[in-house]
Amino acid sequence: MTSQIIKVDEFDYVIFGGAGDLAERKLLPALYHRDIDGQIRETSRIIGVSRTERSDEDYRKFALEAIERHVPADCLKPEDIERFLARLHYRSVDARGEKGWQDLKDLLESAGSAPRIRVFYLAVGPEIFGTIGAQLTERGLKNDLARLVIEKPIGNDLQSAQLLNATIAEHFAEEQVFRIDHYLGKETVQNLMALRFANTIYEPVWNSNFIDHVQITVAESVGLENRAGYYDTSGAMRDMVQNHLLQLLALIAIEPPSSFTADAIHNEKLKVLRALSPIGKANVDQKTVRGQYREGAVDGQAVGGYETDLGSDTSQTETFVALKAEINTWRWAGVPFYLRTGKRLPRRASEIVVTFRPIPYSIFSDDTGEIMQNRLVLRLQPGEGLKQLVMIKRPGPGGMKLRPVALDMTFAETFKIRHPDAYERLLMDVIRGDQALFMRRDEVEAAWDWVDPIMNAWRDAEQQPAGYASGSWGPTAAAALIERDGRNWHEPE
Ligand code: BG6
């Protein structure tokens, strides 16, 4: 059975930062794809907003370039492009001042009196979230069907996150707020839920009786790119671990929710995040490693180090983190979750590896070969899919010789369909009002609550992050972190 496209209700998608990097790379291409798939009603509109003066026509040119750059050529039919561009409008608005708000209001009201969903997507710095929220309220731009979408950074520690969430709550109810973590929109991440809760075979073994440990790797080959201003004040812990990696960990570890509804899922994720064993001054050295890339080579190309990319030689910002997390619950006691993420690693590869316990006793003689522990590999990217490693008899004559083999399901080969970018699903979920794949306020705060003491311990120790050559798998201490427990990192393919 193939999935069916169900049209979403009429909407106006207002993108603050409408001509910025996120809109260009992700939001406009994602909306275009949903449009050509027939999910968007004829009358729905997309309104780009920023301070710069631009006409609707200029904005359509910007959007055209964006989709030409980021949408595969075989999806670019002239009639589709024309229909999509006709949906676009642009208004120049001064977020902090008077200018442009009435214009934007007039445009929204020109849709008529029938109720229509209004989405305000804040693809701008968090320092003006509150200001925009207040303007939307005071100037009467919110209607009964309004929703607010925000992205990280949602604070840079617990206190600032609480403040930001409180500011947002002054203007929008929690059911109207959609906090994006785009990892939750990735196909394999949703499949994690399907795997666990739509099959009977995994749930009975999904606990410390059968699982030895879990690894989560999110490796990137890119370096700083053009984001020095943001990244150097953030680092890998805030940029990746606090959100994407902890969200993945939470989904692997949750108890079965009572239904596939947003609150039921959020409640279970929250319990996991709150059960994380604290890491702080006393154990930060044993449980965490932070690194910073130096010069090296990635994909055969020589690349400079982080400080060269940054143009400063005093940065203590980490571009790599490895850590050993533990969850204090009956299900997970004694099962380490090893997390690692970094920039300038050998390749872009993200995966979750669940390693099962060794067999209790071998009936085979030594010359049958090593019996490897069963592993379930969930590949997030590239080539999304699942792989279950099992031991089999080596085929053919030669007696009982054992070898591991992968039961491999690469989604692109199994389902011959295009795999949508995470944003496509998430942007439509906002219209549907489905918060299941977004982060609730208390989850974000619980994640900071666990991360803050680690960051504080690093800061107090005044230790430089360990250097690692670009193109390597991080500092040697990261290998030592897991080898101390008699285990190894699984190298992504
Ligand atoms: C973003 C981070 O959230 O995720 C970036 O800010 C990172 O630093 C990106 O590069 C990775 O996303 P993806 O989908 O390419 O794995």
Side-chain angles (χ1 to χ4, degrees), residues 17 19-29 121-123 151 423:
D21 180 60
L22 185 71
E24 196 252 349
R25 282 185 308 114
K26 294 288 184 186
L27 307 183
L28 293 169
Y121 196 122
L122 306 192
E151 292 241 5
Y423 276 93

Side-chain angles (χ1 to χ4, degrees), residues 152 182-183 186 220 227 239-240 244 343 348 381:
K152 71 157 207 290
H182 76 279
Y183 267 60
K186 291 189 192 265
E220 296 187 273
R227 305 161 75 215
D239 185 48
M240 299 294 287
H244 306 324
K343 298 218 181 265
R348 177 172 188 253
Q381 57 197 25

Side-chain angles (χ1 to χ4, degrees), residues 335-481:
V335 180
F337 283 64
Y338 299 98
L339 273 46
R340 68 176 168 165
T341 183
K343 298 218 181 265
R344 287 271 192 252
L345 300 186
R347 53 190 163 275
R348 177 172 188 253
S350 301
E351 61 175 33
I352 298 166
V353 183
V354 179
T355 302
F356 292 87
R357 285 191 179 280
I359 55 164
Y361 167 75
S362 173
I363 61 167
F364 300 103
S365 59
D366 288 348
D367 67 352
T368 49
E370 188 196 350
I371 302 183
M372 286 177 53
Q373 287 164 254
N374 295 134
R375 272 201 309 252
L376 174 67
V377 181
L378 298 133
R379 265 194 323 270
L380 267 56
Q381 57 197 25
E384 302 185 315
L386 307 175
K387 222 188 222 187
Q388 174 73 64
L389 281 136
V390 294
M391 295 303 297
I392 59 155
K393 176 191 168 296
R394 198 186 291 268
M400 188 56 134
K401 298 281 188 240
L402 300 171
R403 54 163 285 193
V405 72
L407 307 176
D408 191 348
M409 190 169 107
T410 302
F411 298 156
E413 281 162 26
T414 312
F415 309 102
K416 307 265 181 237
I417 56 160
R418 183 185 69 85
H419 277 280
D421 184 75
Y423 276 93
E424 293 182 39
R425 160 148 221 130
L426 298 176
L427 294 182
M428 293 299 104
D429 278 358
V430 173
I431 306 292
R432 293 185 199 101
D434 182 354
Q435 292 178 311
L437 298 177
F438 295 80
M439 298 182 293
R440 203 170 60 187
R441 173 180 182 166
D442 46 10
E443 278 176 65
V444 175
E445 293 176 8
W448 279 122
D449 198 26
W450 187 71
V451 160
D452 269 4
I454 304 179
M455 306 264 324
N456 293 344
W458 284 344
R459 188 201 52 214
D460 294 347
E462 289 181 11
Q463 260 173 21
Q464 280 284 357
Y468 62 96
S470 288
S472 72
W473 284 104
T476 48
L481 173 89

Side-chain angles (χ1 to χ4, degrees), residues 15-20 23-24 28 47-50 54 59 62 90 123-124:
I15 308 174
F16 286 85
E24 196 252 349
L28 293 169
I47 304 166
V49 169
S50 76
R54 251 187 214 95
Y59 192 56
F62 166 83
Y90 180 85
V124 291

Side-chain angles (χ1 to χ4, degrees), residues 135-156:
Q135 294 269 33
L136 294 173
T137 309
E138 282 155 25
R139 296 175 188 275
L141 271 77
K142 292 183 320 193
N143 63 1
D144 291 347
L145 299 174
R147 303 161 175 24
L148 182 80
V149 186
I150 56 173
E151 292 241 5
K152 71 157 207 290
I154 300 175
N156 57 8

Side-chain angles (χ1 to χ4, degrees), residues 2 7 18 27 32 100-101 109 183 237 252 255 273 324 340 363 380 392 398 438 455-456 483:
T2 50
K7 278 199 198 306
L27 307 183
Y32 176 79
W101 288 101
E109 286 172 357
Y183 267 60
M237 190 67 159
I252 299 164
E255 295 300 317
L273 293 168
K324 177 179 174 181
R340 68 176 168 165
I363 61 167
L380 267 56
I392 59 155
F438 295 80
M455 306 264 324
N456 293 344
E483 283 165 11

